[in-house]
Amino acid sequence: MTYLLMLAVSAIEVMIIYKIRYAYSRLPIFAIMVSIITITALYSISILSVDKYLRAYTFNFATVDLVLLVIMLVYMYQMKRDLRDLPVAKQPDFLVILGNKCMGSRVPPILSERLEKTIQLYNNFERKPQIIVSGSKSSESSYETEAEMMRKYLIDHNIPESAIIKEDESINTVQNLEYSAIEIHQTWQKKTRPRVIIVTSDYHIPRTKWHAKRLGLEVQFAAACTVRMLKWPAMFREFTAIVWYHRYSLLTLLGMDLVFSLSMCM
């Protein structure tokens, strides 16, 4: 009987993992409620079960789910707080546009929103800043680099080619920031510190701010609004990226949980 219950718990967990991205991308509140109900049920089984192996098994699964849910909720809260507290952009010397995955020959909607935000900022400033477009090829099948596609988009929207600096080596957010900082260092000839605005999507702001702080970059941020249909799937991708970046800390935490769960069987 114990093994059947453990098998049932495993099947439910696999089904939730398989479906949670789809559910969150369509109706995030429903996905969060399902997660809370599942965690509560698993912890209840671990408390009420007389079988020590079933208690340990369900306790471990419940803790894994709880940790992932907390990460998602903290990310959602941080995004809302960052967007609420985002200051008005002041006159910059550089606008840096972070790349986004491009699978075809056209600029995808999320990236076009970042470009439109940059164009709006550029036109609003009396003293025109330099624009750095940052991003390499999204995949081997990509026609051009993200930076080249962004450069063409800006030129097509009346941004002078002379105002655009192309950085086409970076393959992720950290490299976007690092390599753009190198381009700024090579371009900036004055003794004063250049003023920089990082332009990215609203859902991408928390992770970008975290990386910028870790790299010691003093920059401003401008958020491009993402349409609701694309925002929730993008937020889930951000969640998985956050989990991946902190994977070693999470594995350590989950390892400790596993040891504690096994100790319940002694």
mmCIF file of all heavy atoms in Angstrom, residues 162-208:
data_model
loop_
_atom_site.group_PDB
_atom_site.id
_atom_site.type_symbol
_atom_site.label_atom_id
_atom_site.label_comp_id
_atom_site.label_asym_id
_atom_site.label_seq_id
_atom_site.Cartn_x
_atom_site.Cartn_y
_atom_site.Cartn_z
ATOM 1 N N SER A 162 24.919 56.513 -37.220
ATOM 2 C CA SER A 162 26.096 56.948 -36.467
ATOM 3 C C SER A 162 25.868 56.914 -34.954
ATOM 4 O O SER A 162 26.829 56.923 -34.174
ATOM 5 C CB SER A 162 26.489 58.369 -36.884
ATOM 6 O OG SER A 162 25.413 59.272 -36.644
ATOM 7 N N ALA A 163 24.587 56.860 -34.525
ATOM 8 C CA ALA A 163 24.270 56.852 -33.097
ATOM 9 C C ALA A 163 24.247 55.441 -32.516
ATOM 10 O O ALA A 163 24.074 55.268 -31.307
ATOM 11 C CB ALA A 163 22.919 57.520 -32.858
ATOM 12 N N ILE A 164 24.422 54.417 -33.365
ATOM 13 C CA ILE A 164 24.253 53.027 -32.942
ATOM 14 C C ILE A 164 25.603 52.314 -32.858
ATOM 15 O O ILE A 164 26.407 52.359 -33.788
ATOM 16 C CB ILE A 164 23.330 52.274 -33.924
ATOM 17 C CG1 ILE A 164 21.978 52.992 -34.043
ATOM 18 C CG2 ILE A 164 23.129 50.835 -33.465
ATOM 19 C CD1 ILE A 164 21.100 52.452 -35.156
ATOM 20 N N ILE A 165 25.831 51.659 -31.741
ATOM 21 C CA ILE A 165 27.012 50.820 -31.529
ATOM 22 C C ILE A 165 26.533 49.374 -31.413
ATOM 23 O O ILE A 165 25.622 49.075 -30.629
ATOM 24 C CB ILE A 165 27.767 51.220 -30.250
ATOM 25 C CG1 ILE A 165 28.237 52.674 -30.342
ATOM 26 C CG2 ILE A 165 28.961 50.288 -30.012
ATOM 27 C CD1 ILE A 165 28.808 53.215 -29.045
ATOM 28 N N LYS A 166 27.142 48.495 -32.179
ATOM 29 C CA LYS A 166 26.686 47.103 -32.215
ATOM 30 C C LYS A 166 27.614 46.211 -31.394
ATOM 31 O O LYS A 166 28.814 46.181 -31.620
ATOM 32 C CB LYS A 166 26.619 46.609 -33.660
ATOM 33 C CG LYS A 166 25.994 45.230 -33.800
ATOM 34 C CD LYS A 166 25.713 44.880 -35.261
ATOM 35 C CE LYS A 166 26.994 44.700 -36.053
ATOM 36 N NZ LYS A 166 26.718 44.155 -37.403
ATOM 37 N N GLU A 167 27.018 45.497 -30.451
ATOM 38 C CA GLU A 167 27.744 44.504 -29.658
ATOM 39 C C GLU A 167 27.097 43.167 -29.958
ATOM 40 O O GLU A 167 25.991 42.887 -29.492
ATOM 41 C CB GLU A 167 27.644 44.864 -28.166
ATOM 42 C CG GLU A 167 28.430 43.946 -27.230
ATOM 43 C CD GLU A 167 27.814 42.576 -27.082
ATOM 44 O OE1 GLU A 167 26.695 42.501 -26.550
ATOM 45 O OE2 GLU A 167 28.439 41.586 -27.523
ATOM 46 N N ASP A 168 27.759 42.312 -30.717
ATOM 47 C CA ASP A 168 27.120 41.091 -31.219
ATOM 48 C C ASP A 168 27.837 39.809 -30.797
ATOM 49 O O ASP A 168 27.847 38.821 -31.534
ATOM 50 C CB ASP A 168 26.993 41.135 -32.744
ATOM 51 C CG ASP A 168 28.330 41.343 -33.437
ATOM 52 O OD1 ASP A 168 29.365 41.381 -32.743
ATOM 53 O OD2 ASP A 168 28.339 41.470 -34.676
ATOM 54 N N GLU A 169 28.416 39.828 -29.582
ATOM 55 C CA GLU A 169 29.111 38.639 -29.077
ATOM 56 C C GLU A 169 28.404 37.999 -27.888
ATOM 57 O O GLU A 169 28.599 36.821 -27.606
ATOM 58 C CB GLU A 169 30.545 39.003 -28.669
ATOM 59 C CG GLU A 169 31.414 39.516 -29.811
ATOM 60 C CD GLU A 169 31.683 38.458 -30.861
ATOM 61 O OE1 GLU A 169 31.734 37.261 -30.502
ATOM 62 O OE2 GLU A 169 31.825 38.823 -32.044
ATOM 63 N N SER A 170 27.601 38.752 -27.177
ATOM 64 C CA SER A 170 26.993 38.251 -25.936
ATOM 65 C C SER A 170 25.856 37.273 -26.218
ATOM 66 O O SER A 170 25.101 37.433 -27.181
ATOM 67 C CB SER A 170 26.479 39.421 -25.099
ATOM 68 O OG SER A 170 25.562 40.204 -25.836
ATOM 69 N N ILE A 171 25.733 36.273 -25.352
ATOM 70 C CA ILE A 171 24.719 35.232 -25.554
ATOM 71 C C ILE A 171 23.731 35.139 -24.386
ATOM 72 O O ILE A 171 22.822 34.315 -24.424
ATOM 73 C CB ILE A 171 25.367 33.858 -25.792
ATOM 74 C CG1 ILE A 171 26.246 33.465 -24.590
ATOM 75 C CG2 ILE A 171 26.186 33.861 -27.085
ATOM 76 C CD1 ILE A 171 26.797 32.043 -24.683
ATOM 77 N N ASN A 172 23.905 35.963 -23.342
ATOM 78 C CA ASN A 172 22.963 35.954 -22.226
ATOM 79 C C ASN A 172 22.980 37.321 -21.543
ATOM 80 O O ASN A 172 23.732 38.215 -21.940
ATOM 81 C CB ASN A 172 23.278 34.834 -21.223
ATOM 82 C CG ASN A 172 24.717 34.885 -20.729
ATOM 83 O OD1 ASN A 172 25.234 35.964 -20.416
ATOM 84 N ND2 ASN A 172 25.368 33.735 -20.654
ATOM 85 N N THR A 173 22.147 37.468 -20.527
ATOM 86 C CA THR A 173 21.991 38.771 -19.866
ATOM 87 C C THR A 173 23.300 39.264 -19.247
ATOM 88 O O THR A 173 23.644 40.444 -19.366
ATOM 89 C CB THR A 173 20.906 38.688 -18.781
ATOM 90 O OG1 THR A 173 19.662 38.312 -19.381
ATOM 91 C CG2 THR A 173 20.727 40.027 -18.082
ATOM 92 N N VAL A 174 24.019 38.368 -18.579
ATOM 93 C CA VAL A 174 25.274 38.761 -17.940
ATOM 94 C C VAL A 174 26.262 39.291 -18.979
ATOM 95 O O VAL A 174 26.884 40.347 -18.799
ATOM 96 C CB VAL A 174 25.898 37.575 -17.173
ATOM 97 C CG1 VAL A 174 27.250 37.976 -16.591
ATOM 98 C CG2 VAL A 174 24.971 37.111 -16.058
ATOM 99 N N GLN A 175 26.386 38.572 -20.096
ATOM 100 C CA GLN A 175 27.302 39.013 -21.146
ATOM 101 C C GLN A 175 26.800 40.280 -21.827
ATOM 102 O O GLN A 175 27.607 41.130 -22.223
ATOM 103 C CB GLN A 175 27.512 37.887 -22.160
ATOM 104 C CG GLN A 175 28.300 36.723 -21.615
ATOM 105 C CD GLN A 175 28.616 35.677 -22.672
ATOM 106 O OE1 GLN A 175 28.307 35.840 -23.854
ATOM 107 N NE2 GLN A 175 29.234 34.587 -22.249
ATOM 108 N N ASN A 176 25.481 40.428 -21.978
ATOM 109 C CA ASN A 176 24.929 41.692 -22.497
ATOM 110 C C ASN A 176 25.478 42.868 -21.706
ATOM 111 O O ASN A 176 25.940 43.868 -22.273
ATOM 112 C CB ASN A 176 23.404 41.710 -22.384
ATOM 113 C CG ASN A 176 22.694 40.870 -23.433
ATOM 114 O OD1 ASN A 176 21.564 40.449 -23.210
ATOM 115 N ND2 ASN A 176 23.310 40.615 -24.558
ATOM 116 N N LEU A 177 25.427 42.745 -20.380
ATOM 117 C CA LEU A 177 25.873 43.826 -19.507
ATOM 118 C C LEU A 177 27.389 43.986 -19.539
ATOM 119 O O LEU A 177 27.904 45.108 -19.641
ATOM 120 C CB LEU A 177 25.400 43.559 -18.074
ATOM 121 C CG LEU A 177 23.880 43.537 -17.851
ATOM 122 C CD1 LEU A 177 23.547 43.033 -16.450
ATOM 123 C CD2 LEU A 177 23.275 44.919 -18.082
ATOM 124 N N GLU A 178 28.104 42.879 -19.461
ATOM 125 C CA GLU A 178 29.565 42.939 -19.432
ATOM 126 C C GLU A 178 30.130 43.510 -20.728
ATOM 127 O O GLU A 178 30.967 44.423 -20.704
ATOM 128 C CB GLU A 178 30.142 41.543 -19.197
ATOM 129 C CG GLU A 178 29.948 41.017 -17.777
ATOM 130 C CD GLU A 178 30.523 39.629 -17.606
ATOM 131 O OE1 GLU A 178 30.580 38.877 -18.610
ATOM 132 O OE2 GLU A 178 30.926 39.285 -16.479
ATOM 133 N N TYR A 179 29.683 42.970 -21.855
ATOM 134 C CA TYR A 179 30.247 43.383 -23.139
ATOM 135 C C TYR A 179 29.824 44.808 -23.509
ATOM 136 O O TYR A 179 30.585 45.541 -24.141
ATOM 137 C CB TYR A 179 29.846 42.402 -24.243
ATOM 138 C CG TYR A 179 30.409 41.004 -24.068
ATOM 139 C CD1 TYR A 179 30.066 39.973 -24.940
ATOM 140 C CD2 TYR A 179 31.274 40.700 -23.019
ATOM 141 C CE1 TYR A 179 30.584 38.692 -24.794
ATOM 142 C CE2 TYR A 179 31.784 39.424 -22.849
ATOM 143 C CZ TYR A 179 31.429 38.422 -23.741
ATOM 144 O OH TYR A 179 31.941 37.156 -23.576
ATOM 145 N N SER A 180 28.618 45.183 -23.107
ATOM 146 C CA SER A 180 28.185 46.567 -23.346
ATOM 147 C C SER A 180 29.021 47.530 -22.513
ATOM 148 O O SER A 180 29.354 48.627 -22.972
ATOM 149 C CB SER A 180 26.698 46.723 -23.001
ATOM 150 O OG SER A 180 25.891 45.951 -23.870
ATOM 151 N N ALA A 181 29.361 47.118 -21.286
ATOM 152 C CA ALA A 181 30.223 47.951 -20.437
ATOM 153 C C ALA A 181 31.591 48.143 -21.087
ATOM 154 O O ALA A 181 32.177 49.235 -21.015
ATOM 155 C CB ALA A 181 30.374 47.309 -19.059
ATOM 156 N N ILE A 182 32.087 47.109 -21.751
ATOM 157 C CA ILE A 182 33.370 47.214 -22.462
ATOM 158 C C ILE A 182 33.252 48.204 -23.618
ATOM 159 O O ILE A 182 34.144 49.041 -23.840
ATOM 160 C CB ILE A 182 33.816 45.822 -22.962
ATOM 161 C CG1 ILE A 182 34.165 44.925 -21.772
ATOM 162 C CG2 ILE A 182 35.018 45.946 -23.901
ATOM 163 C CD1 ILE A 182 34.407 43.481 -22.147
ATOM 164 N N GLU A 183 32.150 48.106 -24.365
ATOM 165 C CA GLU A 183 31.933 49.035 -25.489
ATOM 166 C C GLU A 183 31.876 50.486 -24.979
ATOM 167 O O GLU A 183 32.432 51.391 -25.605
ATOM 168 C CB GLU A 183 30.632 48.686 -26.210
ATOM 169 C CG GLU A 183 30.656 47.371 -26.980
ATOM 170 C CD GLU A 183 31.512 47.447 -28.236
ATOM 171 O OE1 GLU A 183 31.858 48.572 -28.663
ATOM 172 O OE2 GLU A 183 31.824 46.381 -28.789
ATOM 173 N N ILE A 184 31.204 50.691 -23.860
ATOM 174 C CA ILE A 184 31.107 52.033 -23.292
ATOM 175 C C ILE A 184 32.492 52.531 -22.880
ATOM 176 O O ILE A 184 32.860 53.682 -23.146
ATOM 177 C CB ILE A 184 30.142 52.037 -22.079
ATOM 178 C CG1 ILE A 184 28.702 51.801 -22.563
ATOM 179 C CG2 ILE A 184 30.232 53.353 -21.312
ATOM 180 C CD1 ILE A 184 27.710 51.553 -21.448
ATOM 181 N N HIS A 185 33.258 51.662 -22.241
ATOM 182 C CA HIS A 185 34.606 52.030 -21.790
ATOM 183 C C HIS A 185 35.488 52.420 -22.986
ATOM 184 O O HIS A 185 36.280 53.372 -22.899
ATOM 185 C CB HIS A 185 35.235 50.870 -21.028
ATOM 186 C CG HIS A 185 36.626 51.153 -20.547
ATOM 187 N ND1 HIS A 185 36.899 52.000 -19.501
ATOM 188 C CD2 HIS A 185 37.839 50.712 -21.010
ATOM 189 C CE1 HIS A 185 38.212 52.060 -19.313
ATOM 190 N NE2 HIS A 185 38.805 51.291 -20.213
ATOM 191 N N GLN A 186 35.343 51.701 -24.085
ATOM 192 C CA GLN A 186 36.162 51.980 -25.269
ATOM 193 C C GLN A 186 35.705 53.245 -25.993
ATOM 194 O O GLN A 186 36.510 53.921 -26.644
ATOM 195 C CB GLN A 186 36.113 50.786 -26.225
ATOM 196 C CG GLN A 186 36.810 49.544 -25.681
ATOM 197 C CD GLN A 186 36.636 48.332 -26.577
ATOM 198 O OE1 GLN A 186 35.783 48.318 -27.477
ATOM 199 N NE2 GLN A 186 37.438 47.309 -26.347
ATOM 200 N N THR A 187 34.426 53.578 -25.883
ATOM 201 C CA THR A 187 33.868 54.724 -26.605
ATOM 202 C C THR A 187 33.997 56.018 -25.808
ATOM 203 O O THR A 187 34.263 57.078 -26.366
ATOM 204 C CB THR A 187 32.378 54.475 -26.932
ATOM 205 O OG1 THR A 187 32.261 53.247 -27.669
ATOM 206 C CG2 THR A 187 31.797 55.618 -27.746
ATOM 207 N N TRP A 188 33.801 55.930 -24.496
ATOM 208 C CA TRP A 188 33.750 57.116 -23.639
ATOM 209 C C TRP A 188 35.160 57.684 -23.423
ATOM 210 O O TRP A 188 36.041 57.007 -22.925
ATOM 211 C CB TRP A 188 33.120 56.751 -22.303
ATOM 212 C CG TRP A 188 32.804 57.918 -21.423
ATOM 213 C CD1 TRP A 188 33.393 58.217 -20.229
ATOM 214 C CD2 TRP A 188 31.811 58.920 -21.627
ATOM 215 N NE1 TRP A 188 32.828 59.336 -19.674
ATOM 216 C CE2 TRP A 188 31.853 59.797 -20.520
ATOM 217 C CE3 TRP A 188 30.888 59.161 -22.642
ATOM 218 C CZ2 TRP A 188 31.002 60.896 -20.411
ATOM 219 C CZ3 TRP A 188 30.052 60.257 -22.533
ATOM 220 C CH2 TRP A 188 30.111 61.108 -21.435
ATOM 221 N N GLN A 189 35.357 58.909 -23.820
ATOM 222 C CA GLN A 189 36.674 59.540 -23.743
ATOM 223 C C GLN A 189 36.792 60.576 -22.631
ATOM 224 O O GLN A 189 37.874 61.126 -22.405
ATOM 225 C CB GLN A 189 37.003 60.207 -25.096
ATOM 226 C CG GLN A 189 37.011 59.263 -26.280
ATOM 227 C CD GLN A 189 38.057 58.169 -26.157
ATOM 228 O OE1 GLN A 189 39.162 58.403 -25.666
ATOM 229 N NE2 GLN A 189 37.711 56.955 -26.594
ATOM 230 N N LYS A 190 35.707 60.858 -21.946
ATOM 231 C CA LYS A 190 35.737 61.893 -20.912
ATOM 232 C C LYS A 190 36.159 61.297 -19.569
ATOM 233 O O LYS A 190 36.110 60.086 -19.365
ATOM 234 C CB LYS A 190 34.359 62.549 -20.798
ATOM 235 C CG LYS A 190 33.901 63.203 -22.095
ATOM 236 C CD LYS A 190 32.516 63.807 -21.941
ATOM 237 C CE LYS A 190 32.026 64.399 -23.255
ATOM 238 N NZ LYS A 190 30.662 64.989 -23.126
ATOM 239 N N LYS A 191 36.577 62.169 -18.656
ATOM 240 C CA LYS A 191 37.025 61.725 -17.333
ATOM 241 C C LYS A 191 35.860 61.450 -16.390
ATOM 242 O O LYS A 191 36.017 60.749 -15.396
ATOM 243 C CB LYS A 191 37.948 62.776 -16.723
ATOM 244 C CG LYS A 191 39.283 62.924 -17.468
ATOM 245 C CD LYS A 191 40.184 63.920 -16.776
ATOM 246 C CE LYS A 191 41.516 64.040 -17.529
ATOM 247 N NZ LYS A 191 42.426 65.016 -16.870
ATOM 248 N N THR A 192 34.705 62.018 -16.686
ATOM 249 C CA THR A 192 33.527 61.785 -15.847
ATOM 250 C C THR A 192 32.945 60.397 -16.116
ATOM 251 O O THR A 192 33.185 59.801 -17.166
ATOM 252 C CB THR A 192 32.453 62.846 -16.126
ATOM 253 O OG1 THR A 192 32.133 62.820 -17.524
ATOM 254 C CG2 THR A 192 32.953 64.224 -15.746
ATOM 255 N N ARG A 193 32.153 59.907 -15.154
ATOM 256 C CA ARG A 193 31.495 58.608 -15.335
ATOM 257 C C ARG A 193 30.311 58.757 -16.292
ATOM 258 O O ARG A 193 29.471 59.639 -16.105
ATOM 259 C CB ARG A 193 30.997 58.077 -13.987
ATOM 260 C CG ARG A 193 30.328 56.712 -14.078
ATOM 261 C CD ARG A 193 29.696 56.332 -12.748
ATOM 262 N NE ARG A 193 30.692 56.126 -11.734
ATOM 263 C CZ ARG A 193 31.297 54.963 -11.508
ATOM 264 N NH1 ARG A 193 30.988 53.902 -12.247
ATOM 265 N NH2 ARG A 193 32.195 54.851 -10.544
ATOM 266 N N PRO A 194 30.210 57.913 -17.318
ATOM 267 C CA PRO A 194 29.079 58.026 -18.247
ATOM 268 C C PRO A 194 27.769 57.617 -17.583
ATOM 269 O O PRO A 194 27.744 56.741 -16.718
ATOM 270 C CB PRO A 194 29.441 57.045 -19.367
ATOM 271 C CG PRO A 194 30.338 56.052 -18.715
ATOM 272 C CD PRO A 194 31.122 56.825 -17.682
ATOM 273 N N ARG A 195 26.689 58.265 -17.985
ATOM 274 C CA ARG A 195 25.365 57.918 -17.480
ATOM 275 C C ARG A 195 24.706 56.953 -18.463
ATOM 276 O O ARG A 195 24.632 57.242 -19.662
ATOM 277 C CB ARG A 195 24.527 59.177 -17.291
ATOM 278 C CG ARG A 195 24.979 60.036 -16.103
ATOM 279 C CD ARG A 195 24.314 61.386 -16.076
ATOM 280 N NE ARG A 195 24.777 62.214 -17.190
ATOM 281 C CZ ARG A 195 24.457 63.488 -17.358
ATOM 282 N NH1 ARG A 195 23.657 64.083 -16.500
ATOM 283 N NH2 ARG A 195 24.924 64.170 -18.375
ATOM 284 N N VAL A 196 24.245 55.835 -17.936
ATOM 285 C CA VAL A 196 23.766 54.743 -18.782
ATOM 286 C C VAL A 196 22.358 54.336 -18.367
ATOM 287 O O VAL A 196 22.057 54.221 -17.178
ATOM 288 C CB VAL A 196 24.696 53.513 -18.678
ATOM 289 C CG1 VAL A 196 24.201 52.378 -19.582
ATOM 290 C CG2 VAL A 196 26.133 53.897 -19.030
ATOM 291 N N ILE A 197 21.498 54.114 -19.368
ATOM 292 C CA ILE A 197 20.171 53.546 -19.129
ATOM 293 C C ILE A 197 20.111 52.181 -19.809
ATOM 294 O O ILE A 197 20.384 52.061 -21.007
ATOM 295 C CB ILE A 197 19.050 54.442 -19.682
ATOM 296 C CG1 ILE A 197 18.993 55.769 -18.929
ATOM 297 C CG2 ILE A 197 17.695 53.735 -19.576
ATOM 298 C CD1 ILE A 197 17.921 56.718 -19.445
ATOM 299 N N ILE A 198 19.772 51.168 -19.035
ATOM 300 C CA ILE A 198 19.552 49.826 -19.576
ATOM 301 C C ILE A 198 18.088 49.700 -19.938
ATOM 302 O O ILE A 198 17.210 49.894 -19.098
ATOM 303 C CB ILE A 198 19.920 48.735 -18.547
ATOM 304 C CG1 ILE A 198 21.350 48.898 -18.037
ATOM 305 C CG2 ILE A 198 19.707 47.351 -19.143
ATOM 306 C CD1 ILE A 198 22.418 48.692 -19.071
ATOM 307 N N VAL A 199 17.805 49.376 -21.188
ATOM 308 C CA VAL A 199 16.422 49.207 -21.642
ATOM 309 C C VAL A 199 16.142 47.718 -21.811
ATOM 310 O O VAL A 199 16.824 47.028 -22.584
ATOM 311 C CB VAL A 199 16.181 49.933 -22.984
ATOM 312 C CG1 VAL A 199 14.708 49.798 -23.389
ATOM 313 C CG2 VAL A 199 16.575 51.400 -22.884
ATOM 314 N N THR A 200 15.164 47.225 -21.087
ATOM 315 C CA THR A 200 14.765 45.832 -21.216
ATOM 316 C C THR A 200 13.278 45.709 -20.890
ATOM 317 O O THR A 200 12.610 46.702 -20.598
ATOM 318 C CB THR A 200 15.615 44.928 -20.310
ATOM 319 O OG1 THR A 200 15.366 43.558 -20.629
ATOM 320 C CG2 THR A 200 15.330 45.169 -18.835
ATOM 321 N N SER A 201 12.763 44.488 -20.924
ATOM 322 C CA SER A 201 11.335 44.268 -20.685
ATOM 323 C C SER A 201 11.009 44.369 -19.200
ATOM 324 O O SER A 201 11.865 44.145 -18.339
ATOM 325 C CB SER A 201 10.914 42.898 -21.209
ATOM 326 O OG SER A 201 11.193 42.790 -22.596
ATOM 327 N N ASP A 202 9.759 44.688 -18.898
ATOM 328 C CA ASP A 202 9.324 44.835 -17.508
ATOM 329 C C ASP A 202 9.612 43.585 -16.675
ATOM 330 O O ASP A 202 10.125 43.670 -15.560
ATOM 331 C CB ASP A 202 7.844 45.212 -17.436
ATOM 332 C CG ASP A 202 6.975 44.414 -18.402
ATOM 333 O OD1 ASP A 202 7.439 43.385 -18.938
ATOM 334 O OD2 ASP A 202 5.807 44.830 -18.622
ATOM 335 N N TYR A 203 9.303 42.408 -17.218
ATOM 336 C CA TYR A 203 9.492 41.163 -16.474
ATOM 337 C C TYR A 203 10.976 40.845 -16.259
ATOM 338 O O TYR A 203 11.333 40.036 -15.398
ATOM 339 C CB TYR A 203 8.822 39.990 -17.217
ATOM 340 C CG TYR A 203 9.475 39.660 -18.546
ATOM 341 C CD1 TYR A 203 10.598 38.833 -18.609
ATOM 342 C CD2 TYR A 203 8.986 40.178 -19.736
ATOM 343 C CE1 TYR A 203 11.204 38.542 -19.820
ATOM 344 C CE2 TYR A 203 9.584 39.902 -20.942
ATOM 345 C CZ TYR A 203 10.695 39.077 -20.972
ATOM 346 O OH TYR A 203 11.306 38.796 -22.178
ATOM 347 N N HIS A 204 11.852 41.464 -17.037
ATOM 348 C CA HIS A 204 13.286 41.170 -17.025
ATOM 349 C C HIS A 204 14.051 42.084 -16.067
ATOM 350 O O HIS A 204 15.234 41.844 -15.778
ATOM 351 C CB HIS A 204 13.827 41.324 -18.462
ATOM 352 C CG HIS A 204 15.175 40.733 -18.675
ATOM 353 N ND1 HIS A 204 16.149 41.359 -19.431
ATOM 354 C CD2 HIS A 204 15.738 39.585 -18.240
ATOM 355 C CE1 HIS A 204 17.229 40.619 -19.463
ATOM 356 N NE2 HIS A 204 17.011 39.533 -18.746
ATOM 357 N N ILE A 205 13.395 43.121 -15.549
ATOM 358 C CA ILE A 205 14.056 44.121 -14.720
ATOM 359 C C ILE A 205 14.699 43.527 -13.450
ATOM 360 O O ILE A 205 15.872 43.818 -13.151
ATOM 361 C CB ILE A 205 13.083 45.260 -14.347
ATOM 362 C CG1 ILE A 205 12.772 46.122 -15.580
ATOM 363 C CG2 ILE A 205 13.641 46.120 -13.217
ATOM 364 C CD1 ILE A 205 13.911 47.006 -16.027
ATOM 365 N N PRO A 206 13.993 42.682 -12.649
ATOM 366 C CA PRO A 206 14.609 42.193 -11.402
ATOM 367 C C PRO A 206 15.933 41.463 -11.623
ATOM 368 O O PRO A 206 16.914 41.724 -10.921
ATOM 369 C CB PRO A 206 13.536 41.242 -10.837
ATOM 370 C CG PRO A 206 12.259 41.755 -11.389
ATOM 371 C CD PRO A 206 12.594 42.230 -12.778
ATOM 372 N N ARG A 207 15.965 40.548 -12.591
ATOM 373 C CA ARG A 207 17.204 39.783 -12.825
ATOM 374 C C ARG A 207 18.302 40.671 -13.390
ATOM 375 O O ARG A 207 19.478 40.528 -13.040
ATOM 376 C CB ARG A 207 16.921 38.601 -13.759
ATOM 377 C CG ARG A 207 18.096 37.641 -13.905
ATOM 378 C CD ARG A 207 17.627 36.274 -14.363
ATOM 379 N NE ARG A 207 16.964 36.315 -15.647
ATOM 380 C CZ ARG A 207 17.589 36.073 -16.813
ATOM 381 N NH1 ARG A 207 18.885 35.827 -16.830
ATOM 382 N NH2 ARG A 207 16.917 36.087 -17.955
ATOM 383 N N THR A 208 17.935 41.624 -14.260
ATOM 384 C CA THR A 208 18.919 42.533 -14.835
ATOM 385 C C THR A 208 19.525 43.415 -13.750
ATOM 386 O O THR A 208 20.740 43.640 -13.712
ATOM 387 C CB THR A 208 18.276 43.411 -15.922
ATOM 388 O OG1 THR A 208 17.647 42.573 -16.897
ATOM 389 C CG2 THR A 208 19.313 44.270 -16.616
#
